[in-house]
Amino acid sequence: MIISNDSELRSLIPNVMSTVEGESSLYEKVKPYMGLVESSLSDIFIGPEMLANPQSMSEVLRNAASVYVANEAFRMAVPSLDLVLTPNGFGIVNNQNVVPASKERIERLMFSLAQLRDKAASTMVIALADIDGYAETPQGKWFSASLFLPLADHLSGLADPEKPMWDEFLRVRNLAEPLENEAADEFISPELMARLRVAPFEKGSVYAPLASRVRRIIARAIPGAPLNKRALTDLVNFIRENPDKYPEWKNSKTAELFSPPIFENDKKSSGYWF
């Protein structure tokens, strides 16, 4: 649905040679994988309605979605592109003028394709965040269930550059989840944390700066260090010093932890003194 012909597919994948006469087109070879990738594109990013009507997308979003599908489908197809099924089993497509690529070169190719895919994924997330109501879709709810998105500034210092960014994003997201919940229960409150997570999907959100501060605190704990309780306490003090902001925190049970009842010297109390 996203890519409709061979020339369009080739324009999205670097360094692909032209098809020789009598050979199946690259589009035909990759088409089965494109169907699988479009399904994941729909499930993770854009939803079935947008996939069924690509013209409804912005130019930036559609271009990024096309790059995502083309490079991920080609990456999935690479291991089998030189194999054919014969009556006697699998055979290797050979040409006396072409030397088979080494395992290392194939791995570098697949990693470069994954990098293009991941850059397209980041672009899609940014474009989707500008769509009103996206945070309420199933895909938007999944992304806004964490402070971390597949963006370079969110993963800076946390992602291994030798591994695909998307895989690293999923790893970081899983590590961050219990830390985010701990910070929410003890300091930020679940209610305010929910608003901070959805801030990237709200244009001009006043919660965005606070979300960035909390994300940095969580990021410093992800390598295995404990949460910086001092830094979180400073955030709570900042929230308390701004009575016109962050009503989610002020109306939460978490706020009560920082407003203990005032002790009264009652004669009936065992701790009464004169």
Side-chain angles (χ1 to χ4, degrees):
M1 297 181 185
I2 297 290
I3 302 170
S4 59
N5 57 68
D6 189 67
S7 60
E8 184 179 357
L9 174 63
R10 288 175 175 276
S11 70
L12 299 167
I13 302 175
N15 302 323
V16 177
M17 295 181 65
S18 300
T19 305
V20 299
E21 185 177 354
E23 180 187 0
S24 298
S25 69
L26 180 64
Y27 186 84
E28 292 174 311
K29 294 175 182 177
V30 176
K31 187 176 180 180
Y33 300 97
M34 284 197 290
L36 294 174
V37 179
E38 284 186 346
S39 293
S40 68
L41 176 72
S42 172
D43 294 342
I44 300 172
F45 295 97
I46 64 175
E49 293 183 2
M50 203 176 296
L51 176 64
N53 185 20
Q55 299 300 330
S56 66
M57 304 181 195
S58 68
E59 183 178 357
V60 171
L61 179 56
R62 186 177 181 186
N63 288 342
S66 299
V67 172
Y68 179 91
V69 170
N71 286 277
E72 177 64 356
F74 188 53
R75 190 185 71 88
M76 294 172 65
V78 162
S80 62
L81 285 179
D82 63 345
L83 296 176
V84 293
L85 181 61
T86 73
N88 297 320
F90 284 102
I92 299 176
V93 177
N94 199 0
N95 186 318
Q96 294 180 354
N97 297 322
V98 179
V99 178
S102 65
K103 178 176 180 293
E104 290 75 16
R105 286 180 179 272
I106 295 296
E107 289 177 346
R108 286 202 299 270
L109 169 63
M110 295 181 69
F111 182 65
S112 68
L113 293 170
Q115 287 181 311
L116 291 171
R117 174 204 65 191
D118 293 343
K119 289 179 181 178
S122 297
T123 301
M124 280 194 291
V125 169
I126 295 172
L128 289 166
D130 286 336
I131 299 177
D132 291 336
Y134 178 74
E136 299 304 317
T137 66
Q139 296 75 26
K141 287 180 180 179
W142 184 78
F143 278 114
S144 61
S146 172
L147 288 172
F148 292 84
L149 293 173
L151 303 174
D153 60 328
H154 284 213
L155 303 177
S156 177
L158 299 174
D160 184 342
E162 299 300 321
K163 297 180 180 179
M165 188 195 70
W166 182 259
D167 295 344
E168 288 295 276
F169 157 64
L170 295 177
R171 180 183 65 83
V172 168
R173 179 186 169 108
N174 288 336
L175 292 173
E177 182 179 5
L179 295 169
E180 289 182 24
N181 293 337
E182 180 184 349
D185 292 340
E186 298 182 17
F187 295 92
I188 305 300
S189 83
E191 294 84 354
L192 179 55
M193 182 65 81
R195 286 304 307 270
L196 299 182
R197 287 167 172 164
V198 82
F201 302 94
E202 298 175 335
K203 296 179 181 178
S205 174
V206 296
Y207 292 85
L210 184 61
S212 296
R213 292 178 65 179
V214 175
R215 185 169 55 252
R216 288 195 293 270
I217 293 173
I218 301 296
R220 286 193 287 268
I222 283 179
L227 281 171
N228 187 334
K229 303 294 180 71
R230 178 69 262 175
L232 287 168
T233 300
D234 289 342
L235 279 184
V236 170
N237 290 334
F238 170 76
I239 293 170
R240 296 175 72 185
E241 291 168 0
N242 289 271
D244 298 330
K245 298 180 179 180
Y246 316 117
E248 297 84 0
W249 186 86
K250 294 177 174 64
N251 297 325
S252 71
K253 291 184 178 180
T254 306
E256 297 176 4
L257 300 175
F258 298 88
S259 300
I262 299 175
F263 176 77
E264 295 182 359
N265 189 27
D266 194 311
K267 289 184 178 181
K268 296 180 181 180
S269 171
S270 60
Y272 172 76
W273 70 86
F274 293 98

